Amino acid sequence: MDEKRRASCQYGSLECTKWKTDVDQTEADVVSMADSTITVGDIEGELCKIERIRDILVRRESELRYMMDDIQLCKEITRLKKELQKLLSIPDNDKSNEDKQKEEELLKQIHKLVETRDFLVDDVEFERLREREEDKEMAEFLKSKLPKSSQSKNHKSTWTSQLYPPHFHIVKQNSG
């Protein structure tokens, strides 16, 4: 088989679709794999929705990573506090220099972890505010792009209800 014939034009993200620009075709001559009732606007709207869902999934992944970091920091802080509590239960007269140094080191480690957790909480808050702004921009964009029939007043977007699930704020609530 000849090389030109073997190279197929693929749709989707595998390769760019190569358009033949040298041939004049009327709309009646165009053969498409799309349903004849689907319009370009419908396809663009669906692509926007898919992109939005992808963004929501990326946000959720980020949110889960923040929560995992928060859990790990809290576990480590708790472990260090217990260790410190044991040392603090020893009367000062009975503490060795090593015990006193260990106390100081534990306090420094706890302080460092608390600061790290504070930065984490700040990052979560910053992300939440940034995402809220992105959501506003996306809502305005979708209003301008989607057909009027899909923008009924009683129709609540399926993705806007998923933007800020209640568990997203766990890190913020636990920081106090």
Side-chain angles (χ1 to χ4, degrees):
M1 247 188 214
D2 131 278
E3 192 66 32
K4 289 181 183 178
R5 194 170 177 172
R6 257 194 311 175
S8 65
C9 292
Q10 296 181 350
Y11 292 93
S13 62
L14 297 176
E15 288 182 20
C16 287
T17 303
K18 296 179 183 174
W19 301 103
K20 296 181 183 178
T21 55
D22 60 338
V23 179
D24 274 340
Q25 292 181 342
T26 64
E27 279 193 40
D29 294 337
V30 176
V31 177
S32 171
M33 67 180 185
D35 182 357
S36 62
T37 60
I38 270 185
T39 66
V40 172
D42 292 339
I43 293 171
E44 287 174 345
E46 187 69 20
L47 287 171
C48 284
K49 287 178 185 177
I50 291 169
E51 180 70 21
R52 189 69 187 130
I53 291 168
R54 186 192 66 80
D55 289 345
I56 289 168
L57 292 173
V58 168
R59 285 180 182 183
R60 181 68 177 138
E61 178 187 14
S62 174
E63 180 183 311
L64 291 171
R65 290 183 190 281
Y66 276 123
M67 284 193 270
M68 284 300 298
D69 290 346
D70 180 55
I71 289 168
Q72 293 301 326
L73 286 169
C74 287
K75 282 181 179 180
E76 185 63 14
I77 290 169
T78 302
R79 186 189 68 75
L80 292 174
K81 281 182 175 181
K82 285 179 182 177
E83 195 174 332
L84 180 62
Q85 193 64 28
K86 286 178 187 175
L87 285 173
L88 291 174
S89 67
I90 301 172
D92 284 341
N93 310 1
D94 298 339
K95 286 184 191 174
S96 67
N97 284 337
E98 186 179 304
D99 290 338
K100 291 177 185 178
Q101 287 177 345
K102 183 70 173 170
E103 268 183 40
E104 287 296 318
E105 184 61 34
L106 287 171
L107 284 171
K108 286 178 185 177
Q109 288 176 350
I110 291 170
H111 181 70
K112 185 177 180 181
L113 289 174
V114 168
E115 281 182 340
T116 302
R117 189 166 183 277
D118 287 345
F119 286 126
L120 178 73
V121 171
D122 289 343
D123 283 348
V124 168
E125 182 66 14
F126 177 80
E127 284 295 312
R128 187 184 64 77
L129 294 172
R130 184 185 59 78
E131 289 171 357
R132 184 176 289 165
E133 187 62 32
E134 284 178 3
D135 292 341
K136 287 178 187 175
E137 291 172 6
M138 180 58 74
E140 290 170 12
F141 173 75
L142 290 176
K143 282 181 184 176
S144 70
K145 284 289 185 185
L146 291 178
K148 297 289 183 198
S149 62
S150 67
Q151 294 182 13
S152 68
K153 291 181 181 177
N154 294 332
H155 174 71
K156 185 174 182 181
S157 168
T158 56
W159 54 80
T160 55
S161 62
Q162 298 171 2
L163 291 179
Y164 300 109
H167 48 274
F168 180 71
H169 302 288
I170 289 173
V171 173
K172 186 66 177 169
Q173 291 170 352
N174 289 338
S175 65

